[in-house]
Amino acid sequence: MSIVSKELRYGIIGSGMMGREHIRNLLAIDNCEVVAISDTHVPSRAKAVELINGVTQFSDYREMLSAQELDVIVIATPNHTHLNVLNDVLETGLHVLVEKPLCTTVKDCQLAIEREKQTHRDGRVVWVGLEYRYMAPTARLLNEVGSGTCGNVQMVAIREHRFPFLEKIDNWNRFNSNTGGTLVEKCCHFFDVMGLFAQSQAVSVYASGNQDVNHLDEIYDGKRSDILDNAFVIVEYQNGVRGMLDLSMFAEGSKNEQEISVVGSSAKLEALITESKVRVGLRANGAAGVEEFFVEQPLGVVAGFHAGASYLEHLAMQCAIRNGTKSDVTLLDGLNSVAIGQAAHLSIAQRRVVQISEVIS
Ligand SMILES: NC(=O)c1ccc[n+]([C@@H]2O[C@H](COP(=O)([O-])OP(=O)(O)OC[C@H]3O[C@@H](n4cnc5c(N)ncnc54)[C@H](O)[C@@H]3O)[C@@H](O)[C@H]2O)c1
């Protein structure tokens, strides 16, 4: 049976919060099944097994890779484990979705790209889980920009004002050494989306940020949590577009978790993610002419975290697998989004503008 018609058989590596979000979405999609899961943590495995009838479970993902007949692997383990797990998966030739951030450093992203080349298989899809681009209001804004509503884009501002990081298994997300730092771990999503609006490559970054409010008293194995909880990041692009990220992780009192504004020569466009609204304000029509739309989720989207984006991400990936087309979200996209985050952390540490060429050698 060809891959076009057969059921895609999935194996999940890491069945924590995000692994289970993937499972819930895959269960809602026809012509695919989750046949195996692997996790080193017994309670994470047990929670995943509750979701899927007859799934086979493994404590060691390498055993799963050799024991099960699989088509697609989802890697949803902590950030600092991605490179090693991805290297093992790439050896198998299976299609793979690796969660964001691709890796915790640009250097590791480069190693992953090198490994993909060494193990290259025609038609194999390698996908990075930067799914914010599929959120309905963001996708609508990207369409508007693509169709020219904005004219020439000049400024892209993304605000994330939200609650603190959730608790994770073994508290891996409380340390920069495991996550890559907040501006890599969380904000790679926004730098990915910013680049799509800018339609250009980032050249320099200036950032100011700190850990001021959250996790200050949290100590694990004698070490205090060191993750940043607020920042402003300014990104300059090759084509002259300016981007800005405004992050606060102690802003539960915010109506929209994320807001995006794109201003160009003809219009200002806005996406209010939580309210699922888009605003289009043509310069010619002034403030009185701003139009506001509610953006419907496409039919079938699974409700829950990430506003349906994970579901759409899987549909898009399956489309690429079945049609033999390229990944929408490549390892290079993964690297570029990590590079801006890494440059921002360097900028904060050294209080200076950092060139992207300093982090991508
Ligand atoms: N795309 C998104 O919007 C999004 C959202 C949240 C998390 N994530 C990413 O998903 C990944 C997982 O995050 P999470 O929130 O699910 O964390 P989590 O702590 O809830 O789950 C991680 C799981 O991986 C397991 N694990 C660790 N090492 C393993 C190994 N070698 N083999 C198998 N399992 C292993 C842990 O036991 C745990 O159950 C991270 O990379 C994170 O950045 C992405």
Side-chain angles (χ1 to χ4, degrees):
M1 202 191 294
S2 77
I3 197 96
V4 178
S5 55
K6 80 173 222 183
E7 292 237 319
L8 293 172
R9 293 164 59 87
Y10 279 76
I12 311 292
I13 305 179
S15 57
M17 190 212 85
M18 197 60 202
R20 295 198 297 278
E21 177 169 325
H22 285 296
I23 290 169
R24 279 193 289 271
N25 281 290
L26 291 167
L27 291 174
I29 297 175
D30 288 340
N31 289 326
C32 72
E33 56 182 334
V34 178
V35 294
I37 58 132
S38 67
D39 198 300
T40 45
H41 186 66
V42 176
S44 290
R45 282 208 303 275
K47 284 185 189 161
V49 167
E50 273 174 27
L51 297 173
I52 325 160
N53 280 334
V55 73
T56 313
Q57 51 172 311
F58 297 85
S59 56
D60 185 334
Y61 71 85
R62 283 160 295 214
E63 278 176 30
M64 178 183 89
L65 293 175
S66 49
Q68 286 285 136
E69 200 181 301
L70 300 165
D71 301 302
V72 191
I73 300 295
V74 173
I75 301 173
T77 56
N79 304 354
H80 59 296
T81 65
H82 287 181
L83 180 62
N84 285 342
V85 179
L86 180 61
N87 279 343
D88 288 336
V89 174
L90 287 172
E91 288 295 330
T92 65
L94 298 172
H95 304 288
V96 55
L97 183 154
V98 55
E99 259 308 335
K100 65 82 211 161
L102 169 56
C103 296
T104 54
T105 63
V106 169
K107 188 163 164 279
D108 282 0
C109 292
Q110 287 168 327
L111 291 173
I113 289 173
E114 198 48 42
R115 195 59 158 185
E116 197 276 332
K117 282 188 193 141
Q118 287 161 358
T119 60
H120 178 80
R121 312 280 162 93
D122 283 341
R124 175 186 50 197
V125 173
V126 180
W127 194 286
V128 181
L130 290 162
E131 86 283 5
Y132 279 30
R133 47 169 87 188
Y134 297 112
M135 284 181 181
T138 309
R140 172 67 188 266
L141 224 58
L142 283 165
N143 275 341
E144 293 286 351
V145 168
S147 62
T149 310
C150 211
N152 292 325
V153 171
Q154 296 297 338
M155 303 169 77
V156 182
I158 301 183
R159 166 177 291 160
E160 179 169 72
H161 281 188
R162 58 162 270 185
F163 49 89
F165 279 118
L166 301 173
E167 284 183 18
K168 299 290 165 188
I169 305 300
D170 294 332
N171 304 298
W172 65 267
N173 67 344
R174 293 310 198 242
F175 295 99
N176 291 325
S177 54
N178 296 335
T179 66
T182 303
L183 300 173
V184 169
E185 140 68 11
K186 153 125 287 302
C187 301
C188 58
H189 277 305
F190 304 122
F191 298 132
D192 177 58
V193 166
M194 202 181 269
L196 295 176
F197 283 116
Q199 294 166 348
S200 184
Q201 284 292 313
V203 287
S204 67
V205 175
Y206 180 71
S208 168
N210 200 14
Q211 180 186 19
D212 286 316
V213 175
N214 297 340
H215 320 300
L216 295 172
D217 302 328
E218 293 182 23
I219 296 183
Y220 305 97
D221 296 330
K223 284 196 316 192
R224 196 176 74 76
S225 167
D226 61 1
I227 48 172
L228 169 158
D229 58 23
N230 71 106
F232 290 118
V233 181
I234 292 176
V235 185
E236 289 183 343
Y237 288 85
Q238 239 161 32
N239 62 359
V241 171
R242 268 180 271 286
M244 190 186 77
L245 174 74
D246 162 359
L247 174 75
S248 171
M249 299 197 67
F250 41 87
E252 288 88 337
S254 187
K255 193 157 183 185
N256 279 282
E257 201 171 304
Q258 292 108 16
E259 297 173 15
I260 302 175
S261 92
V262 182
V263 191
S265 51
S266 314
K268 171 178 173 175
L269 309 179
E270 290 174 277
L272 308 172
I273 306 296
T274 308
E275 293 179 273
S276 208
K277 284 181 182 162
V278 161
R279 290 189 193 133
V280 176
L282 300 180
R283 289 179 74 193
N285 296 344
V290 175
E291 291 185 85
E292 186 173 279
F293 310 93
F294 179 72
V295 186
E296 296 278 0
Q297 292 285 5
L299 279 179
V301 153
V302 179
F305 290 121
H306 304 114
S310 306
Y311 177 87
L312 298 172
E313 164 183 59
H314 280 297
L315 288 187
M317 182 176 177
Q318 291 184 2
C319 198
I321 292 171
R322 292 184 190 283
N323 296 332
T325 52
K326 289 201 174 128
S327 175
D328 280 2
V329 197
T330 63
L331 295 183
L332 189 57
D333 293 323
L335 179 149
N336 285 331
S337 62
V338 167
I340 300 177
Q342 190 175 321
H345 277 292
L346 186 59
S347 172
I348 291 168
Q350 300 188 352
R351 296 186 162 273
R352 66 177 179 89
V353 176
V354 171
Q355 303 301 316
I356 289 294
S357 56
E358 296 178 57
V359 296
I360 304 183
S361 50

